[in-house]
PDB file of all heavy atoms in Angstrom:
ATOM      1  N   SER U 265     -84.855-123.138  79.123  1.00  0.00           N
ATOM      2  CA  SER U 265     -85.747-122.590  78.105  1.00  0.00           C
ATOM      3  C   SER U 265     -86.726-123.683  77.720  1.00  0.00           C
ATOM      4  O   SER U 265     -86.626-124.818  78.190  1.00  0.00           O
ATOM      5  CB  SER U 265     -84.946-122.131  76.883  1.00  0.00           C
ATOM      6  OG  SER U 265     -84.381-123.251  76.225  1.00  0.00           O
ATOM      7  N   ALA U 266     -87.672-123.371  76.845  1.00  0.00           N
ATOM      8  CA  ALA U 266     -88.674-124.374  76.464  1.00  0.00           C
ATOM      9  C   ALA U 266     -88.043-125.560  75.751  1.00  0.00           C
ATOM     10  O   ALA U 266     -88.537-126.675  75.819  1.00  0.00           O
ATOM     11  CB  ALA U 266     -89.732-123.738  75.572  1.00  0.00           C
ATOM     12  N   ALA U 267     -86.930-125.331  75.040  1.00  0.00           N
ATOM     13  CA  ALA U 267     -86.289-126.402  74.283  1.00  0.00           C
ATOM     14  C   ALA U 267     -85.185-127.103  75.075  1.00  0.00           C
ATOM     15  O   ALA U 267     -84.557-128.015  74.570  1.00  0.00           O
ATOM     16  CB  ALA U 267     -85.731-125.839  72.978  1.00  0.00           C
ATOM     17  N   GLY U 268     -84.941-126.671  76.305  1.00  0.00           N
ATOM     18  CA  GLY U 268     -83.927-127.334  77.103  1.00  0.00           C
ATOM     19  C   GLY U 268     -83.021-126.355  77.827  1.00  0.00           C
ATOM     20  O   GLY U 268     -83.149-125.139  77.685  1.00  0.00           O
ATOM     21  N   PRO U 269     -82.081-126.886  78.619  1.00  0.00           N
ATOM     22  CA  PRO U 269     -81.212-126.022  79.427  1.00  0.00           C
ATOM     23  C   PRO U 269     -80.076-125.414  78.612  1.00  0.00           C
ATOM     24  O   PRO U 269     -79.661-125.947  77.584  1.00  0.00           O
ATOM     25  CB  PRO U 269     -80.677-126.982  80.489  1.00  0.00           C
ATOM     26  CG  PRO U 269     -80.712-128.325  79.841  1.00  0.00           C
ATOM     27  CD  PRO U 269     -81.894-128.311  78.921  1.00  0.00           C
ATOM     28  N   PHE U 270     -79.574-124.259  79.068  1.00  0.00           N
ATOM     29  CA  PHE U 270     -78.352-123.684  78.519  1.00  0.00           C
ATOM     30  C   PHE U 270     -77.543-123.129  79.682  1.00  0.00           C
ATOM     31  O   PHE U 270     -78.061-122.897  80.766  1.00  0.00           O
ATOM     32  CB  PHE U 270     -78.647-122.598  77.472  1.00  0.00           C
ATOM     33  CG  PHE U 270     -79.432-121.413  77.981  1.00  0.00           C
ATOM     34  CD1 PHE U 270     -78.789-120.289  78.483  1.00  0.00           C
ATOM     35  CD2 PHE U 270     -80.817-121.412  77.943  1.00  0.00           C
ATOM     36  CE1 PHE U 270     -79.502-119.195  78.949  1.00  0.00           C
ATOM     37  CE2 PHE U 270     -81.551-120.316  78.403  1.00  0.00           C
ATOM     38  CZ  PHE U 270     -80.886-119.204  78.900  1.00  0.00           C
ATOM     39  N   GLU U 271     -76.246-122.913  79.463  1.00  0.00           N
ATOM     40  CA  GLU U 271     -75.357-122.534  80.549  1.00  0.00           C
ATOM     41  C   GLU U 271     -75.509-121.069  80.915  1.00  0.00           C
ATOM     42  O   GLU U 271     -75.598-120.196  80.051  1.00  0.00           O
ATOM     43  CB  GLU U 271     -73.905-122.819  80.176  1.00  0.00           C
ATOM     44  CG  GLU U 271     -72.951-122.628  81.354  1.00  0.00           C
ATOM     45  CD  GLU U 271     -71.512-122.958  81.002  1.00  0.00           C
ATOM     46  OE1 GLU U 271     -70.905-122.162  80.258  1.00  0.00           O
ATOM     47  OE2 GLU U 271     -71.024-123.988  81.472  1.00  0.00           O
ATOM     48  N   ALA U 272     -75.519-120.809  82.227  1.00  0.00           N
ATOM     49  CA  ALA U 272     -75.605-119.446  82.742  1.00  0.00           C
ATOM     50  C   ALA U 272     -74.621-119.289  83.895  1.00  0.00           C
ATOM     51  O   ALA U 272     -74.154-120.271  84.472  1.00  0.00           O
ATOM     52  CB  ALA U 272     -77.026-119.130  83.205  1.00  0.00           C
ATOM     53  N   ILE U 273     -74.318-118.038  84.207  1.00  0.00           N
ATOM     54  CA  ILE U 273     -73.442-117.697  85.328  1.00  0.00           C
ATOM     55  C   ILE U 273     -74.307-117.147  86.455  1.00  0.00           C
ATOM     56  O   ILE U 273     -75.177-116.298  86.225  1.00  0.00           O
ATOM     57  CB  ILE U 273     -72.404-116.630  84.916  1.00  0.00           C
ATOM     58  CG1 ILE U 273     -71.641-117.071  83.667  1.00  0.00           C
ATOM     59  CG2 ILE U 273     -71.457-116.338  86.074  1.00  0.00           C
ATOM     60  CD1 ILE U 273     -70.836-118.326  83.837  1.00  0.00           C
ATOM     61  N   LEU U 274     -74.092-117.644  87.671  1.00  0.00           N
ATOM     62  CA  LEU U 274     -74.826-117.171  88.843  1.00  0.00           C
ATOM     63  C   LEU U 274     -73.833-116.541  89.812  1.00  0.00           C
ATOM     64  O   LEU U 274     -72.826-117.158  90.176  1.00  0.00           O
ATOM     65  CB  LEU U 274     -75.554-118.334  89.520  1.00  0.00           C
ATOM     66  CG  LEU U 274     -76.363-118.001  90.779  1.00  0.00           C
ATOM     67  CD1 LEU U 274     -77.540-117.103  90.442  1.00  0.00           C
ATOM     68  CD2 LEU U 274     -76.845-119.291  91.451  1.00  0.00           C
ATOM     69  N   THR U 275     -74.110-115.305  90.227  1.00  0.00           N
ATOM     70  CA  THR U 275     -73.210-114.601  91.137  1.00  0.00           C
ATOM     71  C   THR U 275     -74.030-113.676  92.031  1.00  0.00           C
ATOM     72  O   THR U 275     -75.262-113.693  91.992  1.00  0.00           O
ATOM     73  CB  THR U 275     -72.156-113.797  90.338  1.00  0.00           C
ATOM     74  OG1 THR U 275     -71.172-113.294  91.228  1.00  0.00           O
ATOM     75  CG2 THR U 275     -72.798-112.656  89.563  1.00  0.00           C
ATOM     76  N   ARG U 276     -73.341-112.884  92.835  1.00  0.00           N
ATOM     77  CA  ARG U 276     -74.014-111.869  93.651  1.00  0.00           C
ATOM     78  C   ARG U 276     -73.519-110.484  93.261  1.00  0.00           C
ATOM     79  O   ARG U 276     -72.312-110.274  93.122  1.00  0.00           O
ATOM     80  CB  ARG U 276     -73.750-112.086  95.146  1.00  0.00           C
ATOM     81  CG  ARG U 276     -74.495-113.244  95.737  1.00  0.00           C
ATOM     82  CD  ARG U 276     -74.488-113.197  97.263  1.00  0.00           C
ATOM     83  NE  ARG U 276     -75.083-114.401  97.817  1.00  0.00           N
ATOM     84  CZ  ARG U 276     -76.390-114.586  97.928  1.00  0.00           C
ATOM     85  NH1 ARG U 276     -77.225-113.656  97.514  1.00  0.00           N
ATOM     86  NH2 ARG U 276     -76.857-115.705  98.447  1.00  0.00           N
ATOM     87  N   LEU U 277     -74.457-109.549  93.080  1.00  0.00           N
ATOM     88  CA  LEU U 277     -74.097-108.155  92.925  1.00  0.00           C
ATOM     89  C   LEU U 277     -73.950-107.522  94.306  1.00  0.00           C
ATOM     90  O   LEU U 277     -74.307-108.131  95.321  1.00  0.00           O
ATOM     91  CB  LEU U 277     -75.170-107.414  92.129  1.00  0.00           C
ATOM     92  CG  LEU U 277     -75.508-107.950  90.734  1.00  0.00           C
ATOM     93  CD1 LEU U 277     -76.541-107.044  90.059  1.00  0.00           C
ATOM     94  CD2 LEU U 277     -74.276-108.104  89.874  1.00  0.00           C
ATOM     95  N   ASP U 278     -73.454-106.299  94.349  1.00  0.00           N
ATOM     96  CA  ASP U 278     -73.364-105.590  95.625  1.00  0.00           C
ATOM     97  C   ASP U 278     -74.728-105.092  96.071  1.00  0.00           C
ATOM     98  O   ASP U 278     -75.077-105.178  97.253  1.00  0.00           O
ATOM     99  CB  ASP U 278     -72.400-104.411  95.506  1.00  0.00           C
ATOM    100  CG  ASP U 278     -70.965-104.851  95.277  1.00  0.00           C
ATOM    101  OD1 ASP U 278     -70.589-105.922  95.802  1.00  0.00           O
ATOM    102  OD2 ASP U 278     -70.231-104.148  94.567  1.00  0.00           O
ATOM    103  N   ARG U 279     -75.532-104.595  95.100  1.00  0.00           N
ATOM    104  CA  ARG U 279     -76.837-104.036  95.453  1.00  0.00           C
ATOM    105  C   ARG U 279     -77.700-103.926  94.204  1.00  0.00           C
ATOM    106  O   ARG U 279     -77.211-103.928  93.079  1.00  0.00           O
ATOM    107  CB  ARG U 279     -76.684-102.662  96.094  1.00  0.00           C
ATOM    108  CG  ARG U 279     -76.032-101.622  95.165  1.00  0.00           C
ATOM    109  CD  ARG U 279     -75.765-100.313  95.859  1.00  0.00           C
ATOM    110  NE  ARG U 279     -76.999 -99.604  96.186  1.00  0.00           N
ATOM    111  CZ  ARG U 279     -77.024 -98.458  96.847  1.00  0.00           C
ATOM    112  NH1 ARG U 279     -75.892 -97.899  97.270  1.00  0.00           N
ATOM    113  NH2 ARG U 279     -78.170 -97.845  97.099  1.00  0.00           N
ATOM    114  N   PHE U 280     -79.003-103.819  94.443  1.00  0.00           N
ATOM    115  CA  PHE U 280     -79.965-103.533  93.376  1.00  0.00           C
ATOM    116  C   PHE U 280     -80.976-102.558  93.938  1.00  0.00           C
ATOM    117  O   PHE U 280     -81.563-102.802  94.998  1.00  0.00           O
ATOM    118  CB  PHE U 280     -80.655-104.814  92.903  1.00  0.00           C
ATOM    119  CG  PHE U 280     -81.588-104.591  91.743  1.00  0.00           C
ATOM    120  CD1 PHE U 280     -81.097-104.307  90.483  1.00  0.00           C
ATOM    121  CD2 PHE U 280     -82.966-104.657  91.925  1.00  0.00           C
ATOM    122  CE1 PHE U 280     -81.949-104.096  89.410  1.00  0.00           C
ATOM    123  CE2 PHE U 280     -83.831-104.462  90.863  1.00  0.00           C
ATOM    124  CZ  PHE U 280     -83.317-104.175  89.600  1.00  0.00           C
ATOM    125  N   ASP U 281     -81.155-101.428  93.268  1.00  0.00           N
ATOM    126  CA  ASP U 281     -82.054-100.375  93.732  1.00  0.00           C
ATOM    127  C   ASP U 281     -83.263-100.276  92.808  1.00  0.00           C
ATOM    128  O   ASP U 281     -83.111-100.077  91.591  1.00  0.00           O
ATOM    129  CB  ASP U 281     -81.306 -99.042  93.772  1.00  0.00           C
ATOM    130  CG  ASP U 281     -80.162 -99.052  94.778  1.00  0.00           C
ATOM    131  OD1 ASP U 281     -80.435 -98.867  95.976  1.00  0.00           O
ATOM    132  OD2 ASP U 281     -79.003 -99.256  94.363  1.00  0.00           O
ATOM    133  N   VAL U 282     -84.453-100.385  93.394  1.00  0.00           N
ATOM    134  CA  VAL U 282     -85.685-100.289  92.623  1.00  0.00           C
ATOM    135  C   VAL U 282     -86.758 -99.657  93.503  1.00  0.00           C
ATOM    136  O   VAL U 282     -86.874 -99.968  94.693  1.00  0.00           O
ATOM    137  CB  VAL U 282     -86.137-101.682  92.118  1.00  0.00           C
ATOM    138  CG1 VAL U 282     -86.394-102.647  93.271  1.00  0.00           C
ATOM    139  CG2 VAL U 282     -87.357-101.568  91.220  1.00  0.00           C
ATOM    140  N   ALA U 283     -87.521 -98.743  92.927  1.00  0.00           N
ATOM    141  CA  ALA U 283     -88.654 -98.104  93.620  1.00  0.00           C
ATOM    142  C   ALA U 283     -88.251 -97.527  94.971  1.00  0.00           C
ATOM    143  O   ALA U 283     -88.976 -97.654  95.956  1.00  0.00           O
ATOM    144  CB  ALA U 283     -89.803 -99.099  93.788  1.00  0.00           C
ATOM    145  N   GLY U 284     -87.083 -96.906  95.033  1.00  0.00           N
ATOM    146  CA  GLY U 284     -86.632 -96.287  96.269  1.00  0.00           C
ATOM    147  C   GLY U 284     -86.182 -97.259  97.336  1.00  0.00           C
ATOM    148  O   GLY U 284     -85.934 -96.860  98.483  1.00  0.00           O
ATOM    149  N   SER U 285     -86.061 -98.532  97.005  1.00  0.00           N
ATOM    150  CA  SER U 285     -85.654 -99.565  97.966  1.00  0.00           C
ATOM    151  C   SER U 285     -84.353-100.210  97.509  1.00  0.00           C
ATOM    152  O   SER U 285     -84.108-100.381  96.310  1.00  0.00           O
ATOM    153  CB  SER U 285     -86.735-100.641  98.086  1.00  0.00           C
ATOM    154  OG  SER U 285     -87.941-100.100  98.602  1.00  0.00           O
ATOM    155  N   ARG U 286     -83.570-100.615  98.487  1.00  0.00           N
ATOM    156  CA  ARG U 286     -82.281-101.251  98.199  1.00  0.00           C
ATOM    157  C   ARG U 286     -82.330-102.720  98.570  1.00  0.00           C
ATOM    158  O   ARG U 286     -82.689-103.079  99.686  1.00  0.00           O
ATOM    159  CB  ARG U 286     -81.162-100.545  98.974  1.00  0.00           C
ATOM    160  CG  ARG U 286     -79.816-101.257  98.905  1.00  0.00           C
ATOM    161  CD  ARG U 286     -78.717-100.433  99.520  1.00  0.00           C
ATOM    162  NE  ARG U 286     -77.475-101.203  99.655  1.00  0.00           N
ATOM    163  CZ  ARG U 286     -76.278-100.658  99.856  1.00  0.00           C
ATOM    164  NH1 ARG U 286     -76.171 -99.336  99.953  1.00  0.00           N
ATOM    165  NH2 ARG U 286     -75.217-101.413  99.960  1.00  0.00           N
ATOM    166  N   ILE U 287     -81.954-103.568  97.615  1.00  0.00           N
ATOM    167  CA  ILE U 287     -81.816-105.002  97.845  1.00  0.00           C
ATOM    168  C   ILE U 287     -80.319-105.288  97.929  1.00  0.00           C
ATOM    169  O   ILE U 287     -79.576-105.076  96.964  1.00  0.00           O
ATOM    170  CB  ILE U 287     -82.441-105.825  96.699  1.00  0.00           C
ATOM    171  CG1 ILE U 287     -83.897-105.387  96.440  1.00  0.00           C
ATOM    172  CG2 ILE U 287     -82.346-107.311  96.997  1.00  0.00           C
ATOM    173  CD1 ILE U 287     -84.838-105.633  97.571  1.00  0.00           C
ATOM    174  N   ASP U 288     -79.854-105.734  99.075  1.00  0.00           N
ATOM    175  CA  ASP U 288     -78.432-105.989  99.274  1.00  0.00           C
ATOM    176  C   ASP U 288     -78.043-107.376  98.787  1.00  0.00           C
ATOM    177  O   ASP U 288     -78.761-108.356  99.008  1.00  0.00           O
ATOM    178  CB  ASP U 288     -78.064-105.856 100.753  1.00  0.00           C
ATOM    179  CG  ASP U 288     -78.070-104.399 101.219  1.00  0.00           C
ATOM    180  OD1 ASP U 288     -77.503-103.551 100.505  1.00  0.00           O
ATOM    181  OD2 ASP U 288     -78.664-104.122 102.286  1.00  0.00           O
ATOM    182  N   ARG U 289     -76.894-107.436  98.146  1.00  0.00           N
ATOM    183  CA  ARG U 289     -76.271-108.677  97.701  1.00  0.00           C
ATOM    184  C   ARG U 289     -77.250-109.608  96.971  1.00  0.00           C
ATOM    185  O   ARG U 289     -77.392-110.798  97.292  1.00  0.00           O
ATOM    186  CB  ARG U 289     -75.667-109.416  98.900  1.00  0.00           C
ATOM    187  CG  ARG U 289     -74.598-108.626  99.660  1.00  0.00           C
ATOM    188  CD  ARG U 289     -73.290-108.610  98.899  1.00  0.00           C
ATOM    189  NE  ARG U 289     -72.705-109.940  98.826  1.00  0.00           N
ATOM    190  CZ  ARG U 289     -71.836-110.330  97.889  1.00  0.00           C
ATOM    191  NH1 ARG U 289     -71.479-109.487  96.932  1.00  0.00           N
ATOM    192  NH2 ARG U 289     -71.332-111.547  97.890  1.00  0.00           N
TER     193      ARG U 289
END
Side-chain angles (χ1 to χ4, degrees):
S265 68
F270 61 91
E271 188 178 72
I273 307 298
L274 179 66
T275 189
R276 286 195 186 279
L277 303 183
D278 294 327
R279 62 186 291 177
F280 184 71
D281 296 279
V282 60
S285 297
R286 171 172 171 163
I287 307 296
D288 287 314
R289 300 284 293 157

